[in-house]
Amino acid sequence: MPKAVDIRICMGTGGIAAGASAVLERFEEELSSTGVGASVRENCSRHNVGCRGFCARDVLVDVILDGERTTYQYIKPDMVQRIVEEHIVSGNPVEDWVVTDDYHNFHEKQVKVVLSDCGEVDPEDINSYKSRGGYKAVESVIGSKTPEDVIEMIKSSGLRGRGGAGFPTGLKWEFARKPESDQKYIICNADEGDPGAFMDRSIIEGNPHSVIEGMTIGAYCIGADKGYVYIRAEYPLAVKRLRIALEQAKEAGYLGENILGSGFSFNIKVKLGAGAFVCGEETALIASIEGQRGMPRAKPPFPAQQGLWGKPTVINNVETFSNVPYIVTKGPDWFSSFGTEKSKGTKVFALTGKIRNTGLIEVPMGMSLKEIIYDIGGGMERGEFKAVQTGGPSGGCIPKDMIDINVDFESLAKVGSIVGSGGMVVLDDTDCMVNIAKFFLEFTQRESCGKCTPCRVGTKRLLEILDRVTEGKGKSGDIELLLTLGQDIKDSSLCGLGQTAPNPILSTIKYFRDEYEAHINEKRCPAAVCKAMLTYTILEDACKGCTLCAKACPSDAISGEKKKPHVIDQGLCVKCGACFDTCKFKAVHKE
Amino acid sequence: MQEALDRVIEKYRLEEGSVISLLQDIQEEFGYIPEDSVSYVSDRTGIPQSSFYGVATFYAQFYLKPRGKNIITACCGTACHVKGAERVISRIRRELELTDGEDTTQDGLFTVEDVACVGACSIAPVVIVNKEVHGKVSATQLLKEINNLKKETDA
């Protein structure tokens, strides 16, 4: 019988959506006094851990018997009994359900700094974080090192902001350290608004204490005694775990008055964002914390001089703060040993889209896109690789023939995209690039705060042009108009939102101009995505007459007898694609 | 209503810049921002009504009209978009007979709304039904869920 059993269940948003709570419940049942695991109940601990990145395989369960770890994938509640019986009680792992090689490949090439404790520590237990060296950084800094020394350390590590702009963190802290002020603030930007990015959510869900520790060190450096975490209300689990962590940190003396007897005091408040993408911009975020409409203002003065309530303020992203304790504990040289000359350390990316292994990954800056997609991502799910969209609505697309590019701040900027917050959406041959550009423009246009004209009116005009192009009403000259207008908006908008909003259009025109031309000149969507130019037909030879499509059709446009080929009435068809999605014989054709 | 509002006002009495927090708590209490609540809170706090409306109409989170009994939130982030979220959304909107610009059904049973991204991209497309996250959803699966919810209400 094993001496110690540790069961760890992945309970991020992805895990819970896949049924992790029910799995945990089932473990509790099986380990209760009447369950099959009654004999090992006493020496068995159960933990929920945060996201370990590979959400596509959820529910992931680790069973650690006397230090020996076995990871199971795709676990459902009804599989738990067998695991307890055969593995935990009898000591024979259930080989059928153990993770496969590609699970190991997914992790092998990654270098985990920020995510090193995610999926290992119990996010709702401060002792779990401490047992892995948590809060050692705060202990080694506060009262022992001068703020200047710590700033110097962060500067020499080469850490740059992970929220998008990539500004050197140590320098930012130095700017905020200098001005004399009765009050300073430190803000953690957890208003992760980029569609397609979820690293901040996962970090807070998986290891909230690392963010708190990073903020505390930052506050000590600049001399702030108040901090805010501005976090999206759409992340209820992250908010809950953050609040628990703040309570625990305070109780343990890492937050509050006179931290560790040093005379330094620091408190953190949680502010819930109310849903506005523009609040990712520093000055807009400050306005929002002040309770106003989240509208940016002109810089300078920079927040480091005049920020929240007019006081010197530092704003860093979640991932940036989370790096800090690791840099302090392991040293700046260790950190800067990863990455490229100008982009140091690692970066967390949300790898999603048409790729086999979707999830959260952390790699050294400068890794090639090819390695990320094929070695870690396991290659394409079905279709043929076409492009990667990075940086969300502010970023661009990198086409197939540039797949050898290194992923770091400089290299991506050179080809017209950005690292941004780290969203990486892989597209295949069934994705229309004009449609992707339009998707982002719809987003930025809706999220434009309306303060400055180029962004307010300009994005609207850009969207109108894209609307007509995708509806088959494009005119010659539209491409040139998009280019000119896009450049003008970039040059004249007030904040980052407007300055980057045209990027998705500019980069898709640069690399996929032929698709725009096909839409405009031939009234054809090469990827068969744009509804107005699509026709759905049923291939007589392939149709088995199973009637599934007719049942799925919301407009009763499909008719036919059982076991005989069906027909679509083009006049009734609303082009919803329901028949295409339901057909099991690939008999529905679209073009 | 007054009692609840007084509680909310008291909670943020000493806090600067509390307009957003006040509105969030009002909405938590009533499910939306009733007009009367704004005038009441404005009178008690001295913060002009225009500030409340300015903020309430700026952020996506606030609703000035009552919402349905069941809330279906469809994620329309990039990953969900390329995995066919739009087709799923338009199918359920059609099923619930929602016309353009309308989010809540006539009988007040359902509200269908978009959210920019819930950050669960690896299980796209994602739809949240009454705060429960469903990953890799299909239209058929959701229509079933909707029918179940309808039955629950009838029972």
Side-chain angles (χ1 to χ4, degrees):
Chain A
M1 198 180 288
K3 287 190 197 69
V5 186
D6 190 5
I7 301 170
R8 296 182 186 169
I9 300 172
C10 190
M11 287 259 216
T13 296
I16 289 173
S21 309
V23 170
L24 177 66
E25 233 169 71
R26 198 57 196 270
F27 266 108
E28 294 296 347
E29 275 169 35
E30 295 301 343
L31 291 161
S32 69
S33 50
T34 51
V36 295
S39 58
V40 291
R41 185 160 61 110
E42 293 302 312
N43 46 11
C44 182
S45 57
R46 279 83 79 194
H47 293 289
N48 51 357
V49 294
C51 184
R52 53 191 54 183
F54 210 168
C55 310
R57 294 290 162 89
D58 273 329
V59 177
L60 289 163
V61 176
D62 271 358
V63 174
I64 307 171
L65 282 194
D66 293 332
E68 180 111 358
R69 178 191 298 231
T70 311
T71 306
Y72 292 106
Q73 60 185 6
Y74 299 123
I75 296 305
K76 299 263 173 291
D78 56 5
M79 297 156 87
V80 170
Q81 191 185 351
R82 197 173 148 199
I83 296 178
V84 174
E85 214 166 56
E86 295 182 17
H87 188 179
I88 299 177
V89 177
S90 310
N92 306 311
V94 187
E95 295 296 342
D96 299 351
W97 301 334
V98 172
V99 289
T100 40
D101 280 350
D102 47 349
Y103 178 84
H104 298 293
N105 294 344
F106 178 79
H107 290 288
E108 203 186 359
K109 280 215 168 176
Q110 296 191 45
V111 174
K112 297 198 174 188
V113 174
V114 171
L115 297 182
S116 57
D117 291 325
C118 276
E120 298 297 330
V121 302
D122 182 340
E124 295 179 16
D125 177 11
I126 189 172
N127 292 320
S128 175
Y129 178 59
K130 284 183 72 178
S131 72
R132 288 179 62 93
Y135 286 108
K136 283 264 171 6
V138 158
E139 284 168 8
S140 75
V141 160
I142 292 174
S144 319
K145 288 194 175 78
T146 66
E148 284 78 9
D149 286 347
V150 184
I151 290 175
E152 204 46 54
M153 187 193 258
I154 300 298
K155 269 166 76 179
S156 72
S157 75
L159 176 66
R160 291 167 62 178
R162 297 298 194 238
F167 191 81
T169 306
L171 210 56
K172 200 182 229 182
W173 291 7
E174 195 173 60
F175 288 152
R177 163 104 202 137
K178 276 184 186 149
E180 290 281 321
S181 178
D182 56 333
Q183 177 76 60
K184 290 180 187 178
Y185 296 97
I186 195 151
I187 298 173
C188 173
N189 183 354
D191 191 44
E192 186 169 54
D194 273 20
F198 54 94
M199 55 286 300
D200 295 349
R201 172 181 67 69
S202 298
I203 293 168
I204 294 180
E205 281 178 10
N207 192 7
H209 285 288
S210 66
V211 182
I212 296 172
E213 194 175 4
M215 283 182 77
T216 310
I217 294 168
Y220 177 73
C221 288
I222 68 163
D225 66 356
K226 277 197 188 122
Y228 289 92
V229 179
Y230 186 85
I231 183 167
R232 283 183 80 188
E234 285 93 339
Y235 287 175
L237 184 65
V239 173
K240 180 186 142 207
R241 290 190 177 156
L242 179 66
R243 288 202 161 123
I244 293 173
L246 286 171
E247 277 304 312
Q248 292 179 345
K250 201 161 183 178
E251 231 162 77
Y254 295 114
L255 281 178
E257 307 310 310
N258 192 17
I259 294 173
L260 304 172
S262 64
F264 167 66
S265 302
F266 178 55
N267 280 295
I268 298 178
K269 264 192 189 165
V270 176
K271 274 272 178 185
L272 290 185
F277 177 64
V278 69
C279 288
E281 204 281 338
E282 292 187 325
T283 55
L285 190 152
I286 287 171
S288 185
I289 292 184
E290 290 174 350
Q292 304 161 26
R293 292 162 70 100
M295 288 181 163
R297 59 159 174 78
K299 295 189 274 192
F302 289 95
Q305 288 118 28
Q306 274 178 43
L308 187 61
W309 314 113
K311 305 291 183 186
T313 303
V314 156
I315 302 179
N316 282 131
N317 158 274
V318 173
E319 195 186 332
T320 316
F321 278 126
S322 187
N323 266 303
V324 170
Y326 298 98
I327 295 174
V328 171
T329 332
K330 298 188 176 174
D333 294 339
W334 166 82
F335 183 81
S336 62
S337 69
F338 306 113
T340 64
E341 195 198 331
K342 286 185 177 157
S343 304
K344 297 293 183 199
T346 58
K347 175 79 190 89
V348 182
F349 290 97
L351 191 58
T352 60
K354 308 288 176 64
I355 195 160
R356 200 166 285 146
N357 304 337
T358 54
L360 200 67
I361 61 163
E362 182 170 2
V363 294
M365 287 274 190
M367 183 181 263
S368 82
L369 193 56
K370 197 173 185 174
E371 281 175 281
I372 293 179
I373 290 173
Y374 286 96
D375 297 347
I376 295 173
M380 301 301 289
E381 194 180 34
R382 257 178 247 118
E384 193 185 321
F385 175 65
K386 184 175 194 174
V388 177
Q389 208 283 340
T390 66
S394 313
C397 289
I398 303 164
K400 189 165 82 179
D401 51 0
M402 288 188 180
I403 194 164
D404 290 313
I405 190 173
N406 296 331
V407 178
D408 58 57
F409 290 119
E410 286 72 29
S411 309
L412 290 197
K414 222 181 283 169
V415 300
S417 191
I418 57 168
V419 170
S421 56
M424 211 177 243
V425 186
V426 180
L427 307 172
D428 68 12
D429 50 347
T430 62
D431 289 307
C432 167
M433 302 315 280
V434 187
N435 173 276
I436 295 290
K438 187 180 122 183
F439 165 78
F440 283 117
L441 248 289
E442 273 171 357
F443 178 79
T444 32
Q445 193 272 322
R446 196 172 51 206
E447 294 295 334
S448 170
C449 80
K451 185 169 181 172
C452 75
T453 320
C455 176
R456 182 183 68 237
V457 182
T459 54
K460 182 96 182 149
R461 293 291 97 86
L462 285 176
L463 183 59
E464 283 166 2
I465 301 170
L466 287 178
D467 268 337
R468 70 172 179 246
V469 171
T470 52
E471 280 166 13
K473 295 175 190 154
K475 297 184 277 203
S476 71
D478 273 351
I479 297 179
E480 291 70 23
L481 190 56
L482 286 170
L483 290 172
T484 324
L485 186 53
Q487 197 54 51
D488 290 347
I489 295 168
K490 277 175 76 97
D491 293 342
S492 54
S493 291
L494 174 64
C495 84
L497 191 149
Q499 286 160 12
T500 58
N503 285 357
I505 302 183
L506 300 179
S507 93
T508 47
I509 294 182
K510 188 168 169 193
Y511 301 116
F512 300 95
R513 198 179 174 116
D514 54 327
E515 286 194 32
Y516 281 84
E517 282 164 352
H519 281 78
I520 295 168
N521 303 334
E522 302 163 39
K523 312 292 176 213
R524 183 175 68 86
C525 175
V529 170
C530 296
K531 259 190 191 178
M533 287 175 262
L534 270 190
T535 330
Y536 285 92
T537 46
I538 293 176
L539 304 171
E540 224 183 294
D541 298 343
C543 180
K544 306 272 186 227
C546 72
T547 74
L548 268 185
C549 60
K551 279 183 199 136
C553 179
S555 57
D556 293 327
I558 305 181
S559 56
E561 278 176 52
K562 255 189 193 169
K563 298 194 175 167
K564 290 205 177 134
H566 282 47
V567 190
I568 300 177
D569 181 336
Q570 297 301 335
L572 292 174
C573 177
V574 291
K575 299 173 183 180
C576 69
C579 53
F580 186 87
D581 290 339
T582 42
C583 183
K584 291 177 179 150
F585 307 102
K586 294 194 175 154
V588 180
H589 179 70
K590 60 175 176 179
E591 65 177 353
Chain B
M1 187 188 221
Q2 282 193 8
E3 205 180 306
L5 291 175
D6 284 334
R7 228 176 21 242
V8 173
I9 294 168
E10 186 53 33
K11 185 170 161 195
Y12 296 109
R13 201 167 49 87
L14 297 171
E15 229 171 82
E16 280 177 288
S18 55
V19 175
I20 294 177
S21 307
L22 284 166
L23 286 170
Q24 279 169 336
D25 280 25
I26 293 173
Q27 185 156 293
E28 186 65 37
E29 189 75 36
F30 305 105
Y32 73 111
I33 314 281
E35 203 177 323
D36 295 347
S37 72
V38 174
S39 53
Y40 184 82
V41 175
S42 167
D43 279 349
R44 289 298 162 97
T45 56
I47 302 169
Q49 286 196 31
S50 59
S51 297
F52 286 100
Y53 283 114
V55 166
T57 52
F58 184 84
Y59 294 99
Q61 189 194 14
F62 298 116
Y63 305 95
L64 297 173
K65 277 195 266 177
R67 298 157 80 213
K69 192 159 169 280
N70 298 293
I71 313 280
I72 301 174
T73 313
C75 177
C76 48
T78 323
C80 291
H81 175 77
V82 300
K83 292 255 176 158
E86 200 194 326
R87 290 212 292 276
V88 175
I89 301 167
S90 57
R91 184 79 180 87
I92 51 178
R93 287 185 63 94
R94 220 172 14 242
E95 178 68 23
L96 294 170
E97 291 170 5
L98 290 168
T99 47
D100 282 346
E102 220 181 289
D103 293 329
T104 305
T105 51
Q106 293 286 334
D107 55 11
L109 263 187
F110 292 95
T111 291
V112 179
E113 60 194 19
D114 300 346
V115 59
C117 184
V118 295
C121 315
S122 52
I123 48 171
V126 174
V127 171
I128 302 171
V129 181
N130 295 332
K131 294 192 175 173
E132 196 177 317
V133 178
H134 296 254
K136 299 185 181 169
V137 292
S138 67
T140 339
Q141 192 188 332
L142 275 176
L143 294 179
K144 234 183 251 169
E145 182 80 28
I146 288 172
N147 276 329
N148 287 343
L149 288 171
K150 274 186 187 161
K151 271 183 218 148
E152 265 171 42
T153 332
D154 288 344

